């Protein structure tokens, strides 16, 4: 919380008034899911938190069916502007392969009492949190939990909560395979990139 706003807060009961409590721009943080055709195809799920993109690699992608758990392997924090990256990482580089912006939008914390970014970061470190996604392909509540007794601290599970956005008949990973940013398929992104390289 921003201490410069002490005067503002001391004059108000923000719980009752419903006015902004401050501490952020009011802009909701971004999420992105990047489909990444590396040595194994996977979906990089990234949340804007603490000035970086907190990241997990989800081999099967996220499900829209309530309770259907998907493995999510925590990976290193990425810079915020990585959310706009769609293109090709050269073969011999780390993560070499095509990257597509499969879905993006904003998210909010969903746990009771979890109102600020700091609260959510604490829950993440504790290994369990819920968020509400507002994407083009994925909406609604999702829970993430670090696996207990796993081989590695990096192993988490992500699953859809049972809410109005849950729908077991949808399977956007297969029915909506293309980029929300450009409409391109993985193959088209790769082709465009190699065309660019031969021109340049
Ligand atoms: Mn990746």
């Amino acid at each position: 919380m921003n201490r410069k706003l002490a005067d503002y807060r001391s004059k108000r009961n923000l719980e009752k008034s419903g006015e902004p409590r401050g501490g952020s721009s009011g802009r909701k943080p971004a999420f992105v899911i990047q489909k990444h055709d590396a040595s194994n195809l996977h979906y990089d799920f990234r949340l804007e938190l603490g000035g970086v993109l907190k990241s997990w690699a989800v081999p099967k992608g996220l499900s829209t069916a309530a309770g259907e758990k998907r493995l999510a392997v925590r990976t290193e924090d990425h810079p915020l502007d990585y959310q706009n990256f769609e293109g090709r990482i050269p073969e011999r580089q780390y993560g070499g392969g095509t990257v597509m912006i499969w879905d993006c939008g904003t998210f909010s914390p969903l746990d009771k009492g979890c109102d600020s970014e700091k609260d959510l970061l604490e829950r993440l470190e504790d290994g369990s949190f819920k968020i509400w996604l507002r994407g083009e392909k994925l909406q609604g509540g999702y829970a993430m939990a670090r696996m207990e007794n796993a081989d590695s601290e990096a192993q988490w599970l992500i699953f859809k909560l049972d809410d109005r956005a849950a729908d077991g008949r949808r399977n956007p990973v297969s029915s909506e395979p293309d980029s929300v940013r450009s409409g391109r398929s993985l193959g088209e992104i790769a082709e465009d990139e190699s065309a660019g390289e031969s021109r340049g």
Side-chain angles (χ1 to χ4, degrees), residues 118-132:
K118 184 168 162 287
D119 292 339
L120 186 54
L121 277 166
E122 280 172 12
R123 293 203 182 232
L124 193 157
E125 292 316 314
D126 288 346
S128 173
F129 63 94
K130 297 187 182 89
I131 49 175
W132 186 272

Side-chain angles (χ1 to χ4, degrees), residues 65-80:
E68 192 168 289
K69 296 185 175 77
R70 295 285 162 85
L71 177 67
V73 181
R74 181 95 183 261
T75 54
E76 74 276 22
D77 295 348
H78 276 51
L80 287 181

Side-chain angles (χ1 to χ4, degrees), residues 36 38 42 44 46 57:
H36 186 184
H42 59 273
D44 288 303
R46 309 190 196 279

Side-chain angles (χ1 to χ4, degrees), residues 36 38 75-76 78 82 89-97 99:
H36 186 184
T75 54
E76 74 276 22
H78 276 51
Y82 205 91
I89 303 168
E91 289 308 324
R92 280 182 296 278
Q93 300 302 309
Y94 182 76
V99 176

Side-chain angles (χ1 to χ4, degrees), residues 5 8 22 27-28 40 51 63 75-76 93 111 127 140 144 152 161:
L5 294 173
Y8 170 87
R27 185 183 67 83
K28 293 200 164 58
N40 293 299
S63 175
T75 54
E76 74 276 22
Q93 300 302 309
D111 293 287
M144 295 199 76
S152 150
L161 298 171

Side-chain angles (χ1 to χ4, degrees), residues 102-116:
W102 183 78
D103 199 14
C104 62
T106 61
F107 75 94
S108 305
L110 204 55
D111 293 287
K112 277 205 181 68
C114 185
D115 303 316
S116 69

Side-chain angles (χ1 to χ4, degrees), residues 71 145-157:
L71 177 67
R146 191 188 290 135
M147 288 171 74
E148 287 175 24
N149 309 316
D151 305 339
S152 150
E153 284 256 300
Q155 295 189 17
W156 290 60
L157 294 170

